[in-house]
Amino acid sequence: MPRASASTGAKPLWVEGGRGWGYSFVAMEPSAGKPSFMRNMMVRVLLFGVLVVGVRFAYVVTIRGESCDLGDFCFFSLPESFNLPGAGKIGASAIVVKDAARSTFAAPSRVDLWTSKGWRKAVQFYSSVFQDLIVDGYLTPNSKSLCVETSAGQDVFALREIGVVDAIGTAKKKSPPLVVSALPSRQPFDDDTFDFVFSGGGAFDKVMRPLDFASEIARTLKPEGFLVVHTKTKDEYSFNSFVDLFNCCKVVKTRELDGMDSSMPYIREIVLKKEPGILSHGTPKSHSNSVNKCSVPGHKKELFRKAEPLIPEEPLKPWITLKRNIKNIKYLPSMADISFKQRYVYIDVGARSYGSSIGSWFRKQYPKQNKTFEVYAIEADKTFHDEYKLKKRVTLLPYAAWVRNETLSFEINQDPGHKDVEKGRGMGRIQPGQSSASSDAVVDQIEGFDFANWLKNSVSERDFVVMKMDVEGTEFDLIPRLFETGAICLIDEIFLECHYNRWQRCCPGERSSKYQKTYDQCLDLFSNLRNIFELDLK
């Protein structure tokens, strides 16, 4: 049988690093071939091995961004302790979590990230901050430290770099070995665990529920421990709102810093110390000595001075004056940051239909700073009640706001100066005891409730509360009641329509007979509201 001649064949080969099939063409020669053939084959095999190593290395560095973790095929690994040039030594670290488990973190693997320019810039910034805190005595190398809401862990890295080795960070997404996974309102640590807690990067400005976040930090902070927060807010209203979140702590220092980049060019650094003798976390503070009194802090008085001025003389055409001056209204959220509030509440007293003020004004025009407000609509006229059944995130109180709980007569008639298109109904009002209804009026029996008492039971000083009141003359009863009970100090911003015997739009030279109060009495009511910012109700 004749012998087969030499031939060339294609042999399939799996290339692991390349993630695909390839072909290696190997010459099939008789064993007695020339020596040069063996050299060529060895060179090809060597080049192929170099190619596999190169592909694997490129995959690890460019795709994964870290060293591989496959023990049987790994060309790039780090020792247990590793020194980066100018970055200090990073060793193993242990931390006790809430369920008493222990977790030891291995050596870092994100070398490409840790040597980047942006990373090193952030680390240098935090290192400078922490060194100043060490000089001031708020931080020591032995401090058990926590950095909250730190996505990449530069602040944790900086702490370890300057010698505070027992440091760990938390964020929603973990980033081993520096950051473990945790929600802002659920930190996986025992009570009184840390000597030092740091919140950088404006984390408190971004969380949805700052009070829950603050309570968790206060819980995990040891008595006599220090909390340092970096926030971008400048105004005193937001500063005091932030401090009110931490009933367990007192402010020991504040200072202004230049930020490390354009995303946060200004930083207010606030240092607080946990004082076990004040209050535990989560317990509301009281700014008064009596449940019926309150005092107004200085930062709110400053905001009052920025408000639009009152109009001292009665306008001859109030409807025109209103349109002209409504553009001059200065809303509180346009003058201050409201981020550090527990809840955001809008109360519409005398709401009528949804589109009357909630939908047409508050939803569209009021500057809410991207906050979600709870809305309460207080409306006694049953004509509008069914409409609110279809409205989401609106709670209807189908009663009349009053000074006590009792049954009232509710009068609805046509106003010659303001005819309502909703079924021809005029504006409803609580019927004065000494007067009788006009011949064309409709009188219903409704339930009134103690509005001031409800307010005190529904909101707190930590909430941001906006109130609009349009109650057809009942404001002269409700506003004094708010003063009497101290409930007035729970309201951050009031929009009040005062009703008086103004000139009629329909009938030149005639005043409305519907209201007995004068413009001067309305002016006194507004002045008394503003005077609360000048005198404490004690």
Side-chain angles (χ1 to χ4, degrees):
M1 180 181 291
R3 299 176 62 182
S5 61
S7 63
T8 302
K11 180 180 179 182
L13 179 69
W14 173 257
V15 183
E16 183 174 345
R19 299 296 184 189
W21 286 98
Y23 288 88
S24 174
F25 293 90
V26 182
M28 301 176 63
E29 296 283 352
S31 60
K34 297 181 181 180
S36 61
F37 168 74
M38 294 299 297
R39 289 196 301 270
N40 290 339
M41 187 170 66
M42 292 181 65
V43 170
R44 291 182 181 184
V45 172
L46 180 61
L47 290 176
F48 176 73
V50 172
L51 175 62
V52 172
V53 173
V55 170
R56 177 61 176 171
F57 182 83
Y59 165 73
V60 168
V61 173
T62 61
I63 303 300
R64 294 199 45 189
E66 57 185 16
S67 65
C68 62
D69 51 15
L70 300 177
D72 58 341
F73 189 68
C74 190
F75 296 97
F76 189 81
S77 61
L78 293 175
E80 289 298 320
S81 292
F82 179 70
N83 255 329
L84 286 176
K89 184 178 181 180
I90 305 295
S93 175
I95 193 72
V96 179
V97 297
K98 189 173 183 179
D99 58 3
R102 299 183 66 87
S103 175
T104 303
F105 297 99
S109 58
R110 300 185 182 277
V111 177
D112 55 335
L113 172 64
W114 291 358
T115 56
S116 66
K117 183 178 179 181
W119 174 278
R120 289 306 309 166
K121 181 180 178 181
V123 169
Q124 291 169 3
F125 172 80
Y126 287 124
S127 295
S128 175
V129 168
F130 294 142
Q131 287 168 357
D132 289 342
L133 294 172
I134 289 177
V135 171
D136 293 336
Y138 306 129
L139 176 65
T140 69
N142 297 324
S143 296
K144 194 177 190 69
S145 303
L146 171 67
C147 298
V148 290
E149 287 298 285
T150 171
S151 58
Q154 296 102 322
D155 41 6
V156 182
F157 194 105
L159 281 170
R160 295 184 182 185
E161 182 182 56
I162 65 173
V164 185
V165 294
D166 197 351
I168 192 64
T170 61
K172 292 180 181 178
K173 184 178 181 181
K174 65 180 180 180
S175 181
L178 301 176
V179 181
V180 299
S181 177
L183 295 175
S185 59
R186 189 177 299 173
Q187 299 293 313
F189 308 110
D190 290 329
D191 294 356
D192 305 332
T193 296
F194 297 98
D195 305 290
F196 177 84
V197 178
F198 177 73
S199 173
F204 256 100
D205 302 324
K206 305 170 186 174
V207 294
M208 295 297 294
R209 299 186 66 86
L211 178 61
D212 295 342
F213 190 24
S215 296
E216 275 296 273
I217 291 176
R219 180 185 64 79
T220 58
L221 186 63
K222 290 181 180 179
E224 308 295 331
F226 291 97
L227 165 66
V228 177
V229 176
H230 284 182
T231 175
K232 60 185 178 182
T233 57
K234 298 181 180 182
D235 60 274
E236 291 304 303
Y237 183 90
S238 60
F239 170 76
N240 284 273
S241 299
F242 169 80
V243 173
D244 284 343
L245 296 175
F246 293 92
N247 291 334
C248 65
C249 308
K250 70 174 183 179
V251 178
V252 295
K253 182 181 178 181
T254 63
R255 65 168 177 163
E256 297 180 0
L257 302 173
D258 291 330
M260 57 183 168
D261 54 39
S262 58
S263 64
M264 195 173 176
Y266 166 88
I267 293 175
R268 171 179 273 184
E269 182 179 85
I270 307 172
V271 182
L272 300 101
K273 182 179 181 180
K274 185 173 181 179
E275 297 286 337
I278 299 180
L279 283 174
S280 62
H281 49 271
T283 304
K285 270 184 183 175
S286 176
H287 293 286
S288 65
N289 298 323
S290 171
V291 294
N292 292 333
K293 303 296 179 182
C294 66
S295 61
V296 179
H299 64 277
K300 289 189 176 181
K301 295 179 181 179
E302 289 297 323
L303 287 172
F304 155 73
R305 297 185 178 97
K306 299 179 182 179
E308 65 278 2
L310 297 175
I311 302 174
E313 295 184 4
E314 178 186 358
L316 297 179
K317 298 181 179 180
W319 54 92
I320 296 179
T321 304
L322 174 63
K323 292 182 179 179
R324 183 185 303 126
N325 287 276
I326 199 168
K327 298 179 181 179
N328 298 327
I329 294 177
K330 296 181 180 179
Y331 298 102
L332 179 55
S334 65
M335 298 185 286
D337 191 335
I338 62 173
S339 297
F340 301 129
K341 289 295 186 177
Q342 176 182 358
R343 297 162 59 215
Y344 301 88
V345 181
Y346 172 63
I347 304 171
D348 195 325
V349 188
R352 289 184 63 79
S353 66
Y354 175 83
S356 178
S357 56
I358 297 176
S360 63
W361 171 71
F362 182 77
R363 295 288 195 198
K364 295 181 179 181
Q365 298 183 33
Y366 189 81
K368 293 177 281 293
Q369 293 187 8
N370 295 322
K371 306 299 181 183
T372 300
F373 278 73
E374 302 172 33
V375 178
Y376 291 89
I378 301 176
E379 177 53 54
D381 193 341
K382 59 185 179 182
T383 303
F384 306 103
H385 292 173
D386 288 342
E387 178 183 357
Y388 285 98
K389 295 179 181 179
L390 305 176
K391 302 301 179 183
K392 297 180 179 180
R393 294 184 299 172
V394 179
T395 300
L396 172 67
L397 277 67
Y399 314 107
W402 186 233
V403 296
R404 53 187 169 271
N405 299 327
E406 64 178 347
T407 301
L408 301 167
S409 296
F410 193 67
E411 175 188 337
I412 302 171
N413 58 10
Q414 296 289 351
D415 187 342
H418 183 195
K419 290 184 179 293
D420 189 88
V421 297
E422 185 87 14
K423 297 183 179 181
R425 295 175 74 86
M427 301 291 288
R429 63 168 179 164
I430 296 175
Q431 189 183 74
Q434 70 276 12
S435 65
S436 59
S438 58
S439 58
D440 61 345
V442 177
V443 179
D444 292 330
Q445 296 297 306
I446 60 171
E447 294 299 320
F449 71 104
D450 190 335
F451 173 69
N453 187 58
W454 172 85
L455 187 65
K456 294 178 69 174
N457 291 324
S458 301
V459 300
S460 73
E461 293 171 334
R462 287 173 168 177
D463 301 330
F464 183 79
V465 181
V466 182
M467 185 182 78
K468 185 228 79 176
M469 182 178 288
D470 182 5
V471 287
E472 299 298 300
T474 312
E475 62 269 14
F476 286 96
D477 299 290
L478 294 178
I479 295 300
R481 173 66 174 167
L482 292 175
F483 276 88
E484 175 190 340
T485 60
I488 191 70
C489 288
L490 297 173
I491 304 171
D492 292 86
E493 192 165 20
I494 299 177
F495 297 89
L496 174 65
E497 180 173 342
C498 187
H499 298 81
Y500 64 98
N501 55 349
R502 59 177 177 240
W503 297 108
Q504 291 296 292
R505 188 174 185 177
C506 67
C507 315
E510 294 185 14
R511 289 185 179 272
S512 170
S513 58
K514 185 177 180 180
Y515 308 107
Q516 288 74 44
K517 302 296 183 179
T518 66
Y519 183 83
D520 287 340
Q521 288 175 304
C522 280
L523 196 61
D524 288 341
L525 186 63
F526 286 125
S527 298
N528 288 334
L529 276 170
R530 294 200 173 189
N531 286 340
I532 190 177
F533 293 97
E534 299 296 331
L535 300 173
D536 289 345
L537 298 180
K538 289 186 178 179

